[in-house]
Amino acid sequence: QVQLQESGPGLVKPSQTLSLTCTVSGGSISSDTYYWNWIRQPAGKGLEWIGRIYPSGSTHYNPSLMSRVTISIDTSKNQFSLKLSSVTAADTAVYYCASVGYCRGGICHKEFAFWGQGTLVTVSS
Amino acid sequence: DIHMTQSPSSLSASIGDRVTLTCRASQSIAGYLNWFQQKPGKAPKLLIYETSSLESGVPSRFSGSGSGTDFTLTISSLQPEDFGSYYCQQSHSVPLTFGGGSKVEIK
């Protein structure tokens, strides 16, 4: 069973870059069985998909954030990371990493079956 | 982007009630619809994937149905632990999108 854990600063100043890391255990991040996502949720609001990365390094981003987002993968550490630049108060949210349940034969199932516990990032001076 | 609309936004029901939540997509998503339950301070939990497949460990009182643009999540007999917010999510195309949520309260 895959387990995920987010880490990173809880406070970021406006205009700076938010950086978070998700550490994966119980599975190999380089396996084509999974792909890896970032999702966020402002307090009291709904969920917003930020983007995902495949073991190959290929990415898909939400167009609403694409100009500011970079997701990368470090197979040596079994981690993937999120960078969000030029942050404002609107980027204050709980950030989750999540993975699909499994992929087989190029088809993936159980979207967001595994989640980290989430980490609150506040943008404030 | 595919827009997901959930209704109702909130409801209050009694233990044992049958509860039905609906989710409508702005365009056809075939069967690529997932349902999540979220409790305060916790990460969402996958309940139903690909419209009607029950995730392992999820009680059988939860069921999903639908196709195309209209989907439902049914709780056949509401239990005290079923309070929380429920989100639908389409995995048909990028960007992946969620509905605004339905908050279920126990009377």
Side-chain angles (χ1 to χ4, degrees), chain B residues 52-101:
Chain B
S52 58
S53 295
L54 194 67
E55 171 66 332
S56 177
V58 174
S60 59
R61 64 181 178 273
F62 291 92
S63 64
S65 64
S67 65
T69 61
D70 294 313
F71 300 86
T72 61
L73 173 70
T74 300
I75 309 172
S76 61
S77 177
L78 191 68
Q79 299 301 301
E81 61 268 29
D82 298 338
F83 77 93
S85 293
Y86 291 80
Y87 294 92
C88 63
Q89 177 259 327
Q90 64 84 16
S91 51
H92 178 270
S93 56
V94 171
L96 307 180
T97 49
F98 292 85

Side-chain angles (χ1 to χ4, degrees), chain B residues 7-55:
Chain B
S7 62
S9 56
S10 66
L11 69 89
S12 182
S14 298
I15 301 303
D17 281 354
R18 183 180 182 89
V19 171
T20 299
L21 308 179
T22 66
C23 178
R24 174 165 288 177
S26 60
Q27 63 190 73
S28 177
I29 55 171
Y32 295 101
L33 190 282
N34 310 298
W35 289 97
F36 298 85
Q37 178 194 62
Q38 187 179 33
K39 298 197 175 182
K42 300 294 187 181
K45 172 187 172 183
L46 178 65
L47 297 176
I48 302 282
Y49 62 98
E50 293 163 8
T51 298
S52 58
S53 295
L54 194 67
E55 171 66 332

Side-chain angles (χ1 to χ4, degrees), chain A residues 35-87:
Chain A
Y35 59 77
W36 312 99
N37 298 266
W38 287 99
I39 294 158
R40 70 180 183 178
Q41 185 174 34
K45 296 189 178 180
L47 297 154
E48 180 181 33
W49 177 75
I50 298 170
R52 68 188 179 195
I53 189 164
Y54 294 82
S56 64
S58 173
T59 53
H60 292 124
Y61 297 135
N62 192 323
S64 67
L65 297 168
M66 185 180 293
S67 63
R68 300 193 290 131
V69 171
T70 303
I71 297 175
S72 59
I73 194 165
D74 186 338
T75 55
S76 67
K77 295 181 179 178
N78 230 37
Q79 295 176 335
F80 64 106
S81 298
L82 168 70
K83 291 189 185 299
L84 181 65
S85 64
S86 304
V87 297

